[in-house]
Amino acid sequence: MTDLSFATATELTALMRRRALSPTELMHHTLGRIDAADAALNSVVALDAERALAEASAMERRLARGEEAGPLAGLPILVKDLEDAEGFPTSRGTRAYRDSPRATHDSTHVARLRAAGALVIGKTNLPPIGAGVHTANDAFGVTRNPWDPERSPGGSSGGSAAAVAAGLVALATAGDGGGSTRIPAALCGVVGLKPSRGRIPQGPSPMPCWPQHACPTGMARTVRDTALHLDVTAGHHPSDPNSLPSPPGSYRAALDDPLPPLRVGVLRTLGVSAPHPAMLRSLERSADVLRDQGHDVRDDESELPGSDTFPAPFQLRQQVLAYNRLLGVLDDFETRRGDFEPWFADVLAAGGTLTSREFAAYWDHRARLDRWTAGLFERYDLLLMPTVPTTAWPATGPDVAAAVRERTLPIAYTSVFNDTGHPAISVPTGLGPDGLPCAVQLAAPHHRDELALGAAQSLEAAHGTLRPPAFAACR
């Protein structure tokens, strides 16, 4: 018997293609699973069960007629509530937009998933406009980690990570502007890829320069499902002039090819982080796996540009992102400031104080990061490091002052690859002594998403996949 809650997207779609499982059966299971399990998580903020069942029934009829309905035909998915999905409001994770009208169109990302046969059943929680490494807002409340309800699933794609980790769905959408996919993936024990900049088109954005920081992504439990998501979403779209051409082949098919011998650089601190012992042990185990597979694995003590002024470069980056978020809501902010969460309104207002000198300094820092990573990828084919310095923090959020003082800033290892545009993936490596997931991050050269995926799959094969005990037992 297949455990439908923790079957992969690849397995579920194969079952439906060969008529061993119907889309309606899967949809009834999925809706029941959400009803039974999400009360403990609060990951799903909008759900349309009636429409979901109607679409599943229509898909079932298509498959019965022998129609080609796409590689995701009949698969229920959830969408992060920062992007549009036709028929659902887009709350953007803030009470200011909780009562938004239903979207009349899909984002380019969601449209491609629907075209591949996926059935969008609801939306997942996030912090206000993605501004946080924990998932909480005044519109929908706090989302909790399936491994420990007192802990956070991370952010900003925390709702998607919690839903996938707990077996509510096999696939959800996410987004990554500084680690917003990789951090929740690491904290929840699932896989999170930030693809190459432009790999998945996002179309016009109300936030200037946002495509230079963030990208749409997927959240899945396995590397193969992550590659499947990328196969159906990658490729140029006219709405995004910076999107990349379609890749020459299938990312999922490439996983069946053996990896060539690789030069792997192991970076422990980047000069800005002091990872906890559990994370370092996880890193060493992963380095040993790659070494045993015949790769040339070497330690590297390279430090990020600006590490001597920590945490100033990270603080400046956050202010630039706040400025972009402010411009995205500017028409509403002056008249509706009180509708936003007070702390988030302060973040937006602080973004408005950004000076031209600070903005120029940020882009100068990004140029230094580009040169730094270029040097690393002359020496190595792949970089290996922790995804985050610690396991999951409290559900109400990390102590930021302590994180700065103790050098455990959550975005220490992730945001650099948003700035440089390299593909980077978080893959789980087991549990720490506290019973919470640990993870490592792999970063590959520009446009080598298949290399990051292939190496991640080799680590996944060695470390295995994870299921939160309370939710693995829940039916």
Side-chain angles (χ1 to χ4, degrees):
M1 293 289 290
T2 299
D3 182 350
L4 296 182
S5 297
F6 287 95
T8 67
T10 300
E11 292 166 341
L12 292 171
T13 52
L15 286 170
M16 286 185 283
R17 277 196 301 275
R18 65 174 186 263
R19 309 281 295 278
L21 172 70
S22 76
T24 303
E25 289 170 331
L26 178 58
M27 189 62 72
H28 276 295
H29 173 86
T30 300
L31 295 172
R33 176 75 174 177
I34 292 172
D35 183 62
D38 196 50
L41 299 174
N42 190 37
S43 66
V44 180
V45 299
L47 189 69
D48 190 337
E50 182 178 355
R51 174 177 172 176
L53 288 168
E55 291 187 353
S57 179
M59 180 61 72
E60 189 168 334
R61 291 192 295 272
R62 289 183 64 186
L63 294 176
R65 292 193 296 267
E67 293 183 22
E68 174 50 55
L72 300 181
L75 185 72
I77 68 168
L78 292 164
V79 170
K80 181 180 177 179
D81 202 12
L82 192 59
E83 61 181 325
D84 288 338
E86 183 271 324
F88 294 92
T90 306
S91 77
R92 304 173 77 183
T94 171
R95 68 185 188 188
Y97 298 121
R98 177 171 183 169
D99 298 323
S100 295
R102 295 174 184 267
T104 57
H105 65 278
D106 292 327
S107 69
T108 302
H109 181 208
V110 172
R112 287 188 170 176
L113 290 165
R114 282 204 214 257
L119 307 179
V120 176
I121 64 171
K123 306 293 284 289
T124 60
N125 205 17
L126 70 151
I129 313 187
V133 292
H134 71 292
T135 296
N137 54 57
D138 290 349
F140 303 108
V142 177
T143 298
R144 300 181 181 276
N145 193 310
W147 291 88
D148 180 348
E150 298 305 313
R151 298 287 174 169
S152 175
S156 62
S157 306
S160 291
V164 169
L168 275 57
V169 291
L171 183 67
T173 76
D176 198 311
S180 284
T181 296
R182 289 161 289 160
I183 291 170
L187 269 54
C188 292
V190 297
V191 177
L193 168 71
K194 185 205 77 65
S196 294
R197 183 187 297 142
R199 180 66 68 203
I200 300 174
Q202 52 187 317
S205 171
M207 296 180 280
C209 301
W210 199 249
Q212 296 300 313
H213 307 295
C215 59
T217 66
M219 194 76 72
R221 283 190 293 274
T222 67
V223 174
R224 188 165 291 273
D225 280 1
T226 302
L228 172 61
H229 169 270
L230 196 58
D231 275 344
V232 301
T233 56
H236 180 76
H237 191 276
S239 67
D240 184 353
N242 297 308
S243 55
L244 298 173
S246 296
S250 162
Y251 290 108
R252 189 166 49 150
L255 292 176
D256 297 327
D257 298 330
L259 284 172
L262 300 173
R263 302 167 299 163
V264 182
V266 181
L267 298 107
R268 289 175 175 76
T269 73
L270 300 184
V272 296
S273 188
H276 286 187
M279 312 312 278
L280 288 174
R281 286 193 293 271
S282 170
L283 182 68
E284 298 303 333
R285 290 197 306 271
S286 298
D288 287 342
V289 167
L290 295 175
R291 193 175 285 114
D292 291 345
Q293 292 175 351
H295 303 297
D296 180 10
V297 181
R298 303 180 184 182
D299 293 342
D300 194 294
E301 300 303 320
S302 296
E303 298 185 353
L304 285 173
S307 59
D308 55 331
T309 61
F310 175 87
F314 295 97
Q315 292 170 332
L316 179 59
R317 185 181 196 278
Q318 295 305 96
Q319 189 176 12
V320 170
L321 265 62
Y323 170 73
N324 273 269
R325 290 185 175 98
L326 175 63
L327 293 184
V329 302
L330 196 58
D331 291 343
D332 294 329
F333 186 64
E334 293 303 323
T335 57
R336 297 185 58 195
R337 175 169 178 160
D339 293 339
F340 291 93
E341 289 77 358
W343 70 267
F344 182 57
D346 290 343
V347 167
L348 293 174
T353 68
L354 186 75
T355 66
S356 58
R357 184 180 297 273
E358 289 169 329
F359 196 62
Y362 167 70
W363 285 97
D364 178 68
H365 177 68
R366 281 187 52 153
R368 294 172 64 198
L369 290 175
D370 287 337
R371 293 191 292 271
W372 180 75
T373 50
L376 283 172
F377 284 115
E378 285 180 357
R379 302 195 297 275
Y380 306 112
D381 305 303
L382 203 65
L383 304 178
L384 173 69
M385 66 200 76
T387 307
V388 285
T390 71
T391 53
W393 36 86
T396 52
D399 182 334
V400 176
V404 170
R405 184 173 63 251
E406 298 167 8
R407 295 203 167 215
T408 56
L409 205 63
I411 64 171
Y413 296 100
T414 53
S415 63
V416 54
F417 300 112
N418 292 89
D419 287 343
T420 64
H422 291 88
I425 188 169
S426 179
V427 59
T429 57
L431 303 179
D434 56 5
L436 297 173
C438 297
V440 293
Q441 176 180 231
L442 294 158
H446 284 301
H447 308 155
R448 294 299 307 277
D449 304 69
E450 82 290 345
L451 189 59
L453 287 162
Q457 181 177 246
S458 68
L459 292 181
E460 180 182 81
H463 295 307
T465 56
L466 299 176
R467 295 187 188 186
F471 290 87
C474 178
R475 289 289 183 268

